[in-house]
Amino acid sequence: MSSYLVPGARRRAIVVAVGLACGWNATAAPQARDLDPVVVTATATDRLASDAPGSISVITREEIQARAVLDLSDAVRGTTGITIAGVGFGRRGIRIRGMDPEYTLVLLDGQRVNAASDAIAHADFDLGWMPASAIERVEVVRGPMSSLYGSEALGGVVNVISRRATDEWQGNVVYNGGVVGGNRGGNTVQAGLYAGGALIPGTLGLSVFAEHRQKDATRDPTDERLDEQEQRRANTGRAVLTWTPSEQQRIDLSHLEGSEFRKRNTLQAGTVPYVYETIDDIRRQQTTLSHQGDWSWGQTRVSAYQSKLERENRRDIGEATRPQDLRDDIVDGRATVNLGSSHRVSVGAEWRRERLDDASAAASGTVEAIQTAVFLQDEIQITEGLSVVVGDRADHHSEFGWNHSPRAYAVWHLNDEFTIKGGVGTGFKAPSLKQLSPEYSAVGGGGRFTIVGNPLLKPEENTSYELSGAWQRDGWSIQAALFQNDLEDLIQTVCVRSCGLRGRELRNYTNVAEARIRGIELSGIVPLTDGLRIEANYSWLNTEDKETGQELNERPKRSGAASLVWEYGALQATLRGEYVGPQKQASGTAQVTLPDYGLVSLDTRWSITPKLSLVVGVDNIADKRLDETGALYAYPETGRYVHAGFDLAF
């Protein structure tokens, strides 16, 4: 990796950090948070976080291991600019800077997983691909990233980076169990295994992981017949074979398999409401073959992978949802070349075939679309402290044609302590296969209306502006950011016939909505004494539906999180607080304001030996229940949750 992109004083830090990220043998990192880790998501190349063109947060493996993490939403909760949103059925999604969860693109080692929400109502299935025990770190980029990753990256990207094998065999076994107070259910069990090492030292490596996790259903406090949160049971495994035929080349072959069972007792709306049991069986697969080269003139990466998500639904009463199968076949490649001492140019291309098997989407039962893309990015070092990243990606969709996603961003290091960043970028989200299909037809609203597809839809678009500043020294860190998202051509359902007549109303998908989201983000780290520090962040949002002039629903105007971290020898304790401010919510044809609330949690980790650690924690210590203040919150917070477990390394 060339060092011209950062001031000379930082070059050694980059080499050490990249070595740690790649699993090279090195001395153990200090327990204190690394204020400037190496990241890859913002440019698809290695850069220090302070040099990355965008606002980016990193959640480390150590942070994930210290908490009860059942899925990706647990891992990123409390991160700057992140709020957890409801997607229906008590399920959760990741909202970045007030953008809807379906505008957050989830990647696994830089490769997209199936966007389940595009085809399945109330789906959060893209949050459970990678078990917590196999995660090396999670990188969150706030702001549109379609210039690199194409559709779905309208609001931001969450990239889950897995652990990799080293020449020395190592691994760990983790177990965690928890109980929820109040005798309402919600108890959990989670067990995971990771192992990685060399089959042929220096040439062939293998890493494997497996995990089982389950969570009991939580009963609804207002009706014992219903479940507030569904029962879940999941098993996931993955194996990665790494071949390094030379020091310049690495070839990875990986395969992931996962199955998940969900069960929920819920209420069927309508003229004669009734309670029914619904069960979802979900299966995941991802197979990847990739080649990475580090040559004298630059770097290359080529990969081919297939992601599959299958969902079958059954009910004890009423008609079940028809089976739905999503499949993505993707081939992509990228080459990065150093042109002189001031330019690092990346060029790439992608071919993607998206297929949906769903009898409601078309008479044939199958709809598909092919997307091709090319992108160009130039990382320009203007002076030792000033760099600019410019790029554009052109995506061609077989149904709606070309879409461009340009981006321009500048990073200016005034000195070793102060950094100013700013830029503008665009993002888009292609209409789903269902939305585009002229044959799609489905009943919604408990039988109130029928929705049909529209092949004339255009992509939803976002133009984002950002300006930020950061200061860091001797363990102190302060960051502030201003941003604005201008959204256009948002897709909504609009009544086109028999409006208001139950059972006869017909709705169509149309590009009609526009919105604006402005905000401020503040974050910082303050070391109090040796081994004691405070980490905190705060976000303020101003949202507007441009059609109605009202605030957007389910966007807290204020939110934030704070942690008091204490490290003393083999013991680490973190007292976490989370604040969710007032938010608007629809109630019939009116809009009401839901009150704010706060949660306090405690995590402890005790390293009994260098190989064995004990983890004990309490989430929601005060047992805050949202049903006590209103039934309109988008999802139910879990009550007081006490958990304990161990991590045994080998």
Side-chain angles (χ1 to χ4, degrees):
M1 181 183 68
S2 173
S3 60
Y4 66 81
L5 289 168
V6 292
R10 304 183 178 188
R11 295 175 187 172
R12 186 176 181 276
I14 290 182
V15 174
V16 173
V18 172
L20 291 172
C22 296
W24 298 342
N25 292 327
T27 57
Q31 288 184 305
R33 173 186 284 275
D34 183 359
L35 297 182
D36 206 8
V38 169
V39 295
V40 298
T41 311
T43 57
T45 57
D46 296 323
R47 293 177 74 105
L48 290 170
S50 62
D51 294 309
S55 296
I56 188 166
S57 299
V58 178
I59 301 98
T60 66
R61 178 157 61 98
E62 290 74 22
E63 292 175 286
I64 293 172
Q65 288 176 330
R67 296 163 57 175
V69 174
L70 290 178
D71 64 19
L72 192 55
S73 64
D74 290 324
V76 303
R77 186 163 189 168
T79 303
T80 305
I82 299 292
T83 53
I84 304 302
V87 297
F89 276 3
R91 296 169 179 171
R92 303 181 297 181
I94 299 172
R95 194 188 295 280
I96 299 179
R97 288 181 169 174
M99 301 286 284
D100 283 336
E102 58 263 32
Y103 300 147
T104 299
L105 176 63
V106 177
L107 304 175
L108 178 56
D109 290 325
Q111 298 168 345
R112 62 173 59 233
V113 298
N114 301 99
S117 61
D118 280 350
I120 304 170
H122 316 303
D124 63 350
F125 308 144
D126 50 353
L127 302 183
W129 283 76
M130 179 63 73
S133 59
I135 296 176
E136 180 64 32
R137 68 185 187 275
V138 179
E139 297 181 3
V140 180
V141 180
R142 304 186 293 279
M145 290 298 297
S146 294
S147 61
L148 283 178
Y149 301 108
S151 183
E152 282 85 50
L154 197 71
V157 171
V158 178
N159 189 10
V160 182
I161 298 174
S162 63
R163 300 171 65 179
R164 294 285 181 168
T166 64
D167 274 345
E168 295 183 3
W169 277 93
Q170 57 183 332
N172 63 314
V173 177
V174 296
Y175 175 87
N176 195 286
V179 295
V180 178
N183 296 318
R184 285 169 49 187
N187 299 343
T188 66
V189 172
Q190 185 176 19
L193 167 69
Y194 168 81
L199 300 176
I200 302 176
T203 303
L204 191 63
L206 174 68
S207 61
V208 296
F209 69 72
E211 184 188 64
H212 168 78
R213 66 179 185 270
Q214 64 184 54
K215 182 177 181 179
D216 296 338
T218 303
R219 290 185 297 277
D220 191 318
T222 63
D223 190 338
E224 288 291 321
R225 302 174 301 165
L226 308 179
D227 292 330
E228 187 179 58
Q229 295 182 12
E230 64 193 345
Q231 176 188 348
R232 300 186 179 194
R233 185 174 64 246
N235 296 292
T236 307
R238 188 191 191 207
V240 182
L241 192 64
T242 300
W243 176 34
T244 53
S246 68
E247 293 183 357
Q248 292 77 35
Q249 300 183 69
R250 190 182 82 188
I251 299 173
D252 291 320
L253 175 63
S254 68
H255 182 72
L256 178 148
E257 288 272 354
S259 63
E260 192 167 356
F261 170 88
R262 310 245 188 133
K263 184 171 72 172
R264 175 185 176 90
N265 291 312
T266 191
L267 184 67
Q268 174 67 49
T271 55
V272 185
Y274 60 88
V275 176
Y276 67 95
E277 179 185 84
T278 177
I279 294 175
D280 281 336
D281 289 307
I282 303 132
R283 291 176 295 277
R284 303 180 180 91
Q285 285 186 352
Q286 188 181 65
T287 303
T288 302
L289 177 63
S290 65
H291 176 276
Q292 192 166 317
D294 191 354
W295 317 101
S296 59
W297 49 267
Q299 299 84 37
T300 59
R301 179 178 175 86
V302 179
S303 61
Y305 59 102
Q306 181 184 91
S307 296
K308 296 175 65 177
L309 179 72
E310 302 173 358
R311 180 250 196 164
E312 292 185 3
N313 174 258
R314 55 188 191 273
R315 295 171 51 159
D316 62 344
I317 304 175
E319 183 179 355
T321 303
R322 298 170 182 175
Q324 295 157 310
D325 296 347
L326 283 165
R327 172 174 164 174
D328 282 351
D329 299 301
I330 300 175
V331 179
D332 61 29
R334 183 185 73 248
T336 300
V337 182
N338 298 329
L339 299 180
S341 60
S342 60
H343 290 266
R344 180 161 66 175
V345 177
S346 298
V347 295
E350 179 184 88
W351 178 89
R352 175 188 177 198
R353 179 173 60 198
E354 185 182 16
R355 172 172 170 161
L356 170 64
D357 292 331
D358 185 343
S360 68
S364 65
T366 299
V367 289
E368 71 173 38
I370 294 178
Q371 301 183 49
T372 56
V374 293
F375 76 87
L376 173 67
Q377 176 181 267
D378 190 2
E379 303 169 72
I380 309 168
Q381 196 70 37
I382 298 176
T383 66
E384 184 179 10
L386 177 62
S387 63
V388 174
V389 176
V390 294
D392 186 23
R393 173 170 166 139
D395 286 82
H396 184 270
H397 191 283
S398 57
E399 297 295 331
F400 59 76
W402 287 98
N403 192 92
H404 281 268
S405 304
R407 176 176 65 147
Y409 211 97
V411 179
W412 182 23
H413 297 288
L414 283 73
N415 51 43
D416 288 339
E417 298 175 358
F418 290 96
T419 301
I420 296 176
K421 299 181 180 182
V424 58
T426 61
F428 80 101
K429 184 178 187 301
S432 70
L433 294 177
K434 278 187 173 183
Q435 291 171 336
L436 282 171
S437 174
E439 300 177 358
Y440 172 64
S441 177
V443 176
R448 290 190 297 113
F449 52 82
T450 299
I451 306 173
V452 296
N454 180 2
L456 301 179
L457 288 173
K458 299 182 294 183
E460 300 171 282
E461 297 184 352
N462 177 28
T463 302
S464 179
Y465 308 89
E466 178 179 285
L467 178 64
S468 67
W471 172 83
Q472 61 182 39
R473 184 177 66 182
D474 299 331
W476 290 70
S477 173
I478 300 174
Q479 300 181 25
L482 304 173
F483 66 88
Q484 176 170 311
N485 292 326
D486 291 329
L487 295 97
E488 298 180 352
D489 293 325
L490 299 184
I491 297 173
Q492 291 187 344
T493 59
V494 176
C495 179
V496 295
R497 192 176 67 212
S498 302
C499 300
L501 299 180
R502 184 180 183 89
R504 297 176 56 189
E505 181 175 323
L506 182 67
R507 297 188 180 186
N508 192 9
Y509 290 108
T510 308
N511 295 101
V512 293
E514 295 184 7
R516 185 193 66 207
I517 301 176
R518 292 173 175 169
I520 300 172
E521 293 172 348
L522 303 173
S523 61
I525 300 176
V526 179
L528 301 176
T529 62
D530 187 24
L532 185 66
R533 68 182 184 273
I534 293 177
E535 303 178 4
N537 65 75
Y538 172 84
S539 297
W540 175 84
L541 285 181
N542 178 273
T543 66
E544 182 184 359
D545 183 323
K546 303 293 284 186
E547 287 187 289
T548 64
Q550 294 182 323
E551 293 183 31
L552 299 177
N553 290 326
E554 301 176 22
R555 272 79 167 180
K557 183 177 287 288
R558 301 181 301 276
S559 61
S563 298
L564 180 64
V565 183
W566 179 53
E567 297 169 343
Y568 182 76
L571 181 65
Q572 176 176 317
T574 302
L575 183 64
R576 294 184 285 115
E578 183 178 353
Y579 173 74
V580 179
Q583 55 187 290
K584 298 293 185 178
Q585 180 60 286
S587 178
T589 58
Q591 194 178 47
V592 299
T593 300
L594 301 180
D596 59 352
Y597 65 92
L599 303 174
V600 179
S601 305
L602 176 65
D603 307 316
T604 63
R605 183 180 180 89
W606 178 30
S607 299
I608 301 173
T609 72
K611 297 291 186 180
L612 178 63
S613 297
L614 179 67
V615 176
V616 179
V618 184
D619 286 1
N620 192 1
I621 294 174
D623 197 25
K624 177 66 178 178
R625 303 279 188 171
L626 298 186
D627 54 84
E628 298 172 357
T629 54
L632 292 177
Y633 288 98
Y635 73 95
E637 294 281 6
T638 302
R640 184 186 297 116
Y641 172 68
V642 181
H643 65 92
F646 67 84
D647 185 338
L648 177 62
F650 58 85

